[in-house]
Amino acid sequence: MFELVFTRRFSMAHRLLAGESERCALPHGHNEYIRVHLRATNPTALDGRTNMVMPFQRAKGIWHGFIDNHVDHALQLSEDDPLRAWFARHEPQRAQRILVTPGDPTTELLACLLMAKLNAFLAADNGTLTCASIEIEETPTNTVRYSGDPLAVLPQPRPAPHCWWRRADTTISDT
């Protein structure tokens, strides 16, 4: 079976408050690589003319725009992080650049959220492709890879039907 594989780089900052790593409790950043593996939802033989599952530009266009214009240089914070209220009060124009997560914005969680978002984009584009797996390289020595249904492993009581990661729009929060 063919897979279309795309890689994109983005910079981000986050902080983790619930875990055991005091180093990660202060805002800090990473330069990350995200790699997605797309598969046809209904695989068929090549047609003898175009011989493509889908043109690369169509398959990656919306996704790359989303990563470049909304995820790159976003601050990732838990929905319960007090920094969100500070930004809303003191710098509301910058609050729009906060990617809000249900719980700490770990690489594992981000992989599932972004996979769900990509699947929403793909479903809105006739559902020809689906994301089979996603990898996020947080550092040169740490990578998270997820394959499966991201909605099945996201924290409960989420995902609610209208969370940002289930919509085929460019939002990164529900605020």
Side-chain angles (χ1 to χ4, degrees):
M1 178 177 308
F2 293 108
E3 286 190 348
L4 304 181
V5 181
F6 309 120
T7 302
R8 207 66 170 171
R9 181 178 176 263
F10 65 94
S11 297
M12 54 74 83
H14 69 169
R15 72 179 189 156
L16 309 178
L17 298 176
E20 297 178 16
S21 176
E22 184 57 32
R23 288 180 65 177
C24 294
L26 290 174
H28 63 284
H30 300 274
N31 291 312
E32 301 191 336
Y33 288 88
I34 186 167
R35 179 173 295 111
V36 297
H37 299 250
L38 309 182
R39 286 189 186 150
T41 52
N42 294 306
T44 60
L46 297 175
D47 66 9
R49 194 174 63 76
T50 63
N51 293 319
M52 292 184 215
V53 176
M54 178 184 284
F56 277 106
Q57 188 54 41
R58 179 175 167 195
K60 68 183 180 180
I62 292 172
W63 177 245
H64 284 187
F66 174 69
I67 295 296
D68 293 349
N69 299 315
H70 302 279
V71 176
D72 186 38
H73 283 81
L75 173 59
Q76 300 172 9
L77 296 175
S78 167
E79 60 194 357
D80 299 325
D81 193 309
L83 280 179
R84 288 187 59 225
W86 187 91
F87 274 99
R89 213 172 17 260
H90 299 285
E91 298 186 40
Q93 74 282 6
R94 291 194 173 108
Q96 300 171 48
R97 297 285 301 144
I98 297 175
L99 187 149
V100 180
T101 62
D104 273 352
T106 63
T107 305
E108 293 88 340
L109 179 64
L110 187 62
C112 290
L113 294 174
L114 292 179
M115 185 179 193
K117 187 70 160 185
L118 176 54
N119 279 332
F121 288 137
L122 294 170
D125 185 24
N126 298 324
T128 304
L129 297 171
T130 190
C131 186
S133 67
I134 190 166
E135 298 171 36
I136 299 179
E137 181 182 299
E138 180 182 87
T139 69
T141 58
N142 296 333
T143 299
V144 169
R145 181 175 189 206
Y146 181 75
S147 57
D149 179 2
L151 300 176
V153 298
L154 287 170
Q156 298 300 320
R158 293 193 177 256
H162 301 292
C163 295
W164 66 263
W165 54 86
R166 296 188 73 160
R167 296 190 306 261
D169 59 30
T170 57
T171 55
I172 57 173
S173 76
D174 290 325
T175 55

